[in-house]
Amino acid sequence: MKTQVRSNWSSTVLVCAKCSKRLGGGFGPKGKQPLGKALRQHLGLKKGRKSAAGVVDVKCLGVCPRGAVTVVDAAASREWLLVPAGTDLDAVARALDLLPAADG
């Protein structure tokens, strides 16, 4: 029996699916996608464990902010992000260490 499975993820991000659903989208080029899907698409991530990073939609994180989505970077799980609808996806990716920091 296998007790471990390997993934190619360099980082893992948890996105509250309930917050995303309450917003009815709010992200992506047309502002109609949930945050998790828009972030995966923006970063060009594949699905599953063969992707470079994991963006996982979870049921509910229990914070429920108005007009925002709760996001947890698993590497820095003590600090949770509240991402307002319409936030630039590059800024979200940088805050989650999914993109290198901008020079300057």
Side-chain angles (χ1 to χ4, degrees):
M1 176 169 83
K2 255 187 175 178
T3 58
Q4 295 180 342
V5 177
R6 189 177 310 205
S7 80
N8 293 337
W9 294 356
S10 60
S11 60
T12 305
V13 175
L14 308 177
V15 179
C16 182
K18 186 174 180 182
C19 292
S20 290
K21 187 175 182 179
R22 286 179 63 200
L23 278 180
F27 299 94
K30 294 182 180 179
K32 294 185 178 186
Q33 290 181 315
L35 179 59
K37 183 175 182 175
L39 198 55
R40 280 190 292 274
Q41 188 176 38
H42 183 72
L43 297 172
L45 297 175
K46 298 176 186 174
K47 286 189 174 184
R49 60 189 184 90
K50 297 199 178 196
S51 178
V55 178
V56 181
D57 292 312
V58 296
K59 194 169 186 169
C60 183
L61 293 169
V63 177
C64 304
R66 282 188 198 266
V69 177
T70 306
V71 179
V72 179
D73 178 2
S77 59
R78 293 181 59 105
E79 302 272 334
W80 293 14
L81 295 176
L82 302 179
V83 182
T87 301
D88 179 48
L89 293 174
D90 280 333
V92 175
R94 267 191 219 92
L96 296 168
D97 288 331
L98 297 174
L99 282 181
D103 293 334

